[in-house]
Amino acid sequence: MSPADFVSPLHSQETDVLIIGAGPVGLFAVFELGLLGLKARLIDTLDRPGGQCAELYPEKPIYDIPGIPTISGQVLTDRLMEQAAPFEPEFRFNQRVEHLSKRPDGRFQIVTDAGDVHVAPVVFIAAGAGSFTPRRPKLDGIAPYEGKSLFYAVRERADFEGSDLVVVGGGDSALDWTLDLLPSVKSLTLVHRRDKFRAAPHTVDAMETAVAEGRMNFVMGDLERLTGKNGGENGELTAVTVRSKTGSTTLKADRLLTFFGLNIELGPIADWALDLEDGKQIRVGTEKFQTSTPGIFAIGDINWYPGKLKLILSGFHEGALAAQEAFRIARPNEKLRFQYTTSSSELQKRLKVA
Amino acid sequence: MMANFHVTTRKGEKQTLEGVDGWRLMELLRDYKTGIEGICGGQLDCASCHIYVDPDWLGRLPELRDEEEAKLDELPSWEENSRLSCQIIWGEELDGLTLTVAPD
């Protein structure tokens, strides 16, 4: 390895298989890899396991998991976590994989948006429809403001202290943060396109009381324009213009917080030179579920092959087959032995049941 | 009689497509590859089936329910004629419906 490729052990973390996405298919892949004696580490943009099951439909019943007539997205996630637990998977949540590259030693290196570096001989992409990212306002020229005066979430309350703050949205996040930040800001205006809110009733009451008492403002309308110092080139916001049915209102503002929910996008995966289908799914073969780059596999909703069905059960099958090839790559000097959990004492030991 | 609808796809192409009775409009738009993904399958969770309906048609569609309106609230690309196509079930009465697939 040349010095340029050297990554200090402090920041480099090695494992057998890096799994991008901790949804149901990624979680079951941990199990299939674990049976073969392979360690896995999962990276996900969300703050918990389950992917779409946990984020989109935690309470809704799923009826097409073999052998389980009905199960909710959250319970399925919990059960898969339980099933994967003997193999001690490692999780990295709230991180998005930004770069994937091949090292001179043949292994892959992944760098996340938090700057973490992971190294493994095998990568499984189990990213579903892509990563959940906040929807951005549909306005031109907002990029310089992002992360400086325009935010899609509150990471540090200090970012908003003493500010003239505009909050956009009508759901729980918008109203909860409005009430939370209200005591520490100079002024606060809530903007929503109608005067109905889908947040919890007591939160709506508290907000309406604050407006009635003159502690904050409410403006009905949509974002029209942002104005900044020197045309906003340094991301310093000075005003937010809101368009309503009766005309436009310009609000003095140096902080803007918008809550437009989450969008799912393929993200950086699109830049990894893998063969794609329709620009949205990764092409794989149906023997190993390997992508056009050997060592990189795609399983679950993210992949495409003739006859593909986006079903959780298909993703389970795909993970089991991909794990076989992952073993051959990660353990080139060992022989792959096919065994059943019902009869193999070796598998039962790995499962910690024997 | 075949019942058709007119779509401007996400790529901006105009197409006239045939409806299928009982299908969600989202499913038709997804099947015809007009740019609609319908990730959540019609549960009002993802809003990825957002369309703009020709204003003449707005009053002729099934009424907006609170859950759909709340989901539409989240969309920065919302307009007065926004709908989520998973909430519209295809039937012959929709013959001639004109819509545009909303941006991502």
Side-chain angles (χ1 to χ4, degrees):
Chain A
M1 213 190 309
S2 71
D5 301 312
F6 180 77
V7 184
S8 101
L10 262 180
H11 303 289
S12 159
Q13 297 161 313
E14 304 188 1
T15 188
D16 290 324
V17 181
L18 287 164
I19 303 180
I20 303 171
V25 170
L27 292 175
F28 191 66
V30 172
F31 177 87
E32 288 293 338
L33 292 163
L35 286 181
L36 303 177
L38 299 179
K39 286 266 168 233
R41 180 176 305 142
L42 301 94
I43 305 167
D44 202 295
T45 48
L46 295 175
D47 60 359
R48 59 194 184 285
Q52 287 181 43
C53 281
E55 183 65 32
L56 290 186
Y57 44 87
E59 305 303 333
K60 291 186 179 162
I62 304 168
Y63 300 107
D64 60 354
I65 306 296
I68 306 174
T70 171
I71 191 167
S72 72
Q74 188 55 54
V75 175
L76 177 63
T77 302
D78 295 345
R79 301 289 289 274
L80 286 163
M81 286 292 282
E82 191 185 329
Q83 200 166 18
F87 306 110
E88 297 168 4
E90 300 169 275
F91 292 93
R92 299 289 184 274
F93 293 117
N94 295 311
Q95 289 195 31
R96 179 156 112 157
V97 173
E98 291 292 332
H99 304 287
L100 169 66
S101 53
K102 194 155 185 175
R103 297 155 38 110
D105 67 2
R107 292 184 298 169
F108 295 98
Q109 175 168 308
I110 269 176
V111 183
T112 71
D113 58 356
D116 284 5
V117 178
H118 304 276
V119 175
V122 176
V123 174
F124 278 16
I125 303 174
S131 56
F132 288 88
T133 47
R135 284 197 191 93
R136 308 161 77 211
K138 295 280 180 221
L139 297 174
D140 291 332
I142 60 167
Y145 298 106
E146 289 179 313
K148 288 190 176 146
S149 52
L150 164 61
F151 297 87
Y152 307 130
V154 178
R155 294 221 188 271
E156 302 278 348
R157 282 187 177 77
D159 289 338
F160 302 90
E161 240 173 57
S163 68
D164 291 304
L165 173 65
V166 172
V167 179
V168 184
D172 278 311
S173 309
L175 267 69
D176 286 349
W177 280 115
T178 290
L179 295 171
D180 186 285
L181 296 172
L182 186 55
S184 64
V185 296
K186 190 157 35 144
S187 74
L188 195 154
T189 306
L190 176 68
V191 175
H192 183 45
R193 67 173 60 107
R194 55 193 182 125
D195 54 6
K196 268 165 90 185
F197 298 88
R198 65 182 188 281
H202 69 271
T203 317
V204 178
D205 287 347
M207 182 275 294
E208 285 171 345
T209 304
V211 172
E213 292 174 359
R215 288 184 283 126
M216 59 170 279
N217 300 306
F218 169 63
V219 175
M220 195 160 45
D222 258 319
L223 285 179
E224 183 178 16
R225 190 173 66 245
L226 307 188
T227 309
K229 223 177 261 178
N230 302 325
E233 57 175 1
N234 297 317
E236 284 179 60
L237 186 70
T238 54
V240 171
T241 305
V242 177
R243 177 184 43 223
S244 70
K245 280 180 184 160
T246 52
S248 292
T249 316
T250 296
L251 307 161
K252 186 181 171 212
D254 52 18
R255 287 291 181 275
L256 173 61
L257 199 44
T258 65
F259 294 99
F260 290 125
L262 297 174
N263 199 4
I264 310 183
E265 54 179 42
L266 196 54
I269 293 172
D271 307 327
W272 296 346
L274 302 169
D275 282 353
L276 299 180
E277 171 70 14
D278 201 21
K280 286 194 169 139
Q281 284 167 285
I282 303 170
R283 281 174 166 269
V284 292
T286 49
E287 183 189 346
K288 304 166 179 170
F289 298 93
Q290 193 160 238
T291 67
S292 54
T293 301
I296 302 179
F297 299 77
I299 54 176
D301 286 359
I302 193 100
N303 75 12
W304 186 89
Y305 49 86
K308 169 70 183 178
L309 285 181
K310 289 187 188 180
L311 292 176
I312 293 172
L313 74 92
S314 307
F316 290 165
H317 160 80
E318 294 160 11
L321 267 63
Q324 302 286 308
E325 185 64 14
F327 178 91
R328 292 186 188 99
I329 295 170
R331 302 278 187 272
N333 302 319
E334 291 176 35
K335 210 166 160 54
L336 178 60
R337 180 176 168 209
F338 180 70
Q339 305 175 87
Y340 289 110
T341 55
T342 42
S343 56
S344 159
S345 58
E346 189 186 359
L347 295 191
Q348 288 164 4
K349 207 178 284 169
R350 284 177 182 158
L351 282 164
K352 297 180 179 145
V353 293
Chain B
M1 187 196 78
M2 278 195 303
N4 294 325
F5 59 102
H6 310 288
V7 182
T8 304
T9 68
R10 186 161 285 160
K11 287 180 181 153
E13 295 157 7
K14 288 192 191 300
Q15 297 181 357
T16 294
L17 303 165
E18 194 182 336
V20 180
D21 274 359
W23 280 42
R24 294 169 192 263
L25 186 55
M26 172 273 286
E27 294 167 330
L28 290 165
L29 292 168
R30 187 172 61 185
D31 204 55
Y32 285 122
K33 300 194 187 299
T34 58
I36 287 278
E37 285 176 73
I39 290 165
C40 78
Q43 310 189 64
L44 285 175
D45 280 323
C46 72
S48 68
C49 64
H50 179 201
I51 56 168
Y52 301 124
V53 174
D54 183 297
D56 290 344
W57 274 91
L58 266 186
R60 297 161 67 179
L61 294 175
E63 232 174 277
L64 260 181
R65 289 185 303 134
D66 284 351
E67 293 85 350
E68 183 183 347
E69 191 155 36
K71 197 33 93 175
L72 286 171
D73 265 354
E74 288 184 3
L75 295 173
S77 50
W78 176 87
E79 298 290 343
E80 293 280 353
N81 57 340
S82 284
R83 289 297 302 256
L84 294 178
S85 57
C86 67
Q87 300 302 300
I88 299 165
I89 307 288
W90 185 261
E92 275 190 5
E93 70 281 7
L94 296 181
D95 186 33
L97 173 65
T98 304
L99 62 95
T100 300
V101 174
D104 254 329

